[in-house]
Amino acid sequence: TAHIALAFPTPKYTDEKTSLFNLFDYLLESATSMNLQQAIRQKLGLTYNIGCYNIPFQETGILKISTTTEPEKIDLLLSSIFEEIKRFKELPKKEFETLKKKYIRLIKKLDKMPIFLADRVATEEMFGYEEANKKNISELEKITQEDVQELAENQFKDYLAYIIKPEWSFEEYLLKEKKDKKRKKEKKDK
């Protein structure tokens, strides 16, 4: 199995566009008309699991899509991920509005949960993110379907991909282990 990750540059934590990338991340995994999990796993059978995460930092951020697949399926997997991103043009307005409201409700709930509240307080104290956290909901409410479509159209041209391919298959690994154990036993017996 090969491990694959795509990393796209995103704005820093305090940038007003960070909310747009967070919403995009949520839509990419939650929309029913287009969805990484449905397209890549269920329809194409290219992976068992695929995840998308926007991770903003102090100076910059990354939107990371990571998964695993068989080495011979890597090209199809990568092209399928980019096709799914392009499909944001087709996202129905009603579905977009419903998911945006759902995401805002989720953020409000998470802010009240102790573990997430502790994380928010820590980032505010350590990095001065208090103002950005206060603006998060209002920034989300301003985002339009056109904003998301423009993001999908223009933002995902520059990226870093890393692919880790195994040197041998699991069966080859087991065979090698068996041979190594046999050699060790033979040495010991001498």
Side-chain angles (χ1 to χ4, degrees):
T1 302
H3 297 267
I4 297 120
L6 296 171
F8 304 92
T10 63
K12 63 184 179 178
Y13 192 90
T14 55
D15 191 295
E16 63 186 32
K17 286 193 176 185
T18 293
S19 296
L20 175 59
F21 282 89
N22 289 339
L23 179 60
F24 184 85
D25 167 2
Y26 180 77
L27 293 172
L28 201 52
E29 293 194 301
S30 302
T32 54
S33 62
M34 33 124 348
N35 178 301
L36 277 180
Q37 198 66 251
Q38 287 176 353
I40 308 300
R41 178 184 177 192
Q42 295 169 353
K43 289 180 188 169
L44 298 172
L46 295 173
T47 187
Y48 180 73
N49 190 25
I50 186 166
C52 179
Y53 321 92
N54 183 43
I55 310 163
F57 301 110
Q58 265 186 300
E59 299 298 323
T60 188
I62 60 168
L63 186 126
K64 179 178 146 189
I65 297 174
S66 59
T67 189
T68 59
T69 196
E70 296 306 313
E72 64 275 6
K73 296 178 181 177
I74 292 171
D75 291 337
L76 177 59
L77 176 96
L78 292 173
S79 64
S80 299
I81 289 170
F82 284 104
E83 284 302 312
E84 204 58 23
I85 290 171
K86 287 179 187 174
R87 291 191 60 223
F88 265 90
K89 292 181 212 169
E90 304 166 18
L91 182 65
K93 187 158 184 77
K94 185 176 180 179
E95 183 177 8
F96 168 77
E97 293 298 335
T98 299
L99 286 170
K100 183 173 117 174
K101 288 176 187 172
K102 187 176 177 182
Y103 181 64
I104 290 170
R105 282 194 306 272
L106 175 67
I107 295 299
K108 288 178 179 178
K109 278 184 188 177
L110 291 177
D111 272 351
K112 294 176 184 167
M113 296 176 75
I115 191 164
F116 294 105
L117 180 60
D119 182 57
R120 185 170 56 85
V121 169
T123 58
E124 288 175 0
E125 298 236 348
M126 289 172 36
F127 305 115
Y129 292 169
E130 185 174 0
E131 195 63 33
N133 286 335
K134 284 180 185 175
K135 290 181 180 178
N136 187 30
I137 299 297
S138 64
E139 294 296 334
L140 282 168
E141 289 169 344
K142 292 180 208 173
I143 297 170
T144 66
Q145 183 179 10
E146 291 76 22
D147 294 333
V148 171
Q149 290 169 334
E150 183 182 329
L151 178 75
E153 181 79 26
N154 299 314
Q155 185 65 34
F156 298 98
K157 294 174 182 156
D158 294 327
Y159 62 92
L160 171 68
Y162 68 84
I163 300 166
I164 302 170
K165 292 183 184 180
E167 290 184 30
W168 52 71
S169 70
F170 186 66
E171 292 80 17
E172 290 170 321
Y173 172 78
L174 291 176
L175 184 61
K176 181 184 176 307
E177 286 290 306
K178 190 175 179 180
K179 287 179 182 177
D180 287 348
K181 284 181 183 178
K182 186 178 176 182
R183 263 189 251 127
K184 285 179 185 177
K185 187 177 186 306
E186 287 172 355
K187 270 187 175 181
K188 188 178 178 183
D189 291 344
K190 286 184 181 179

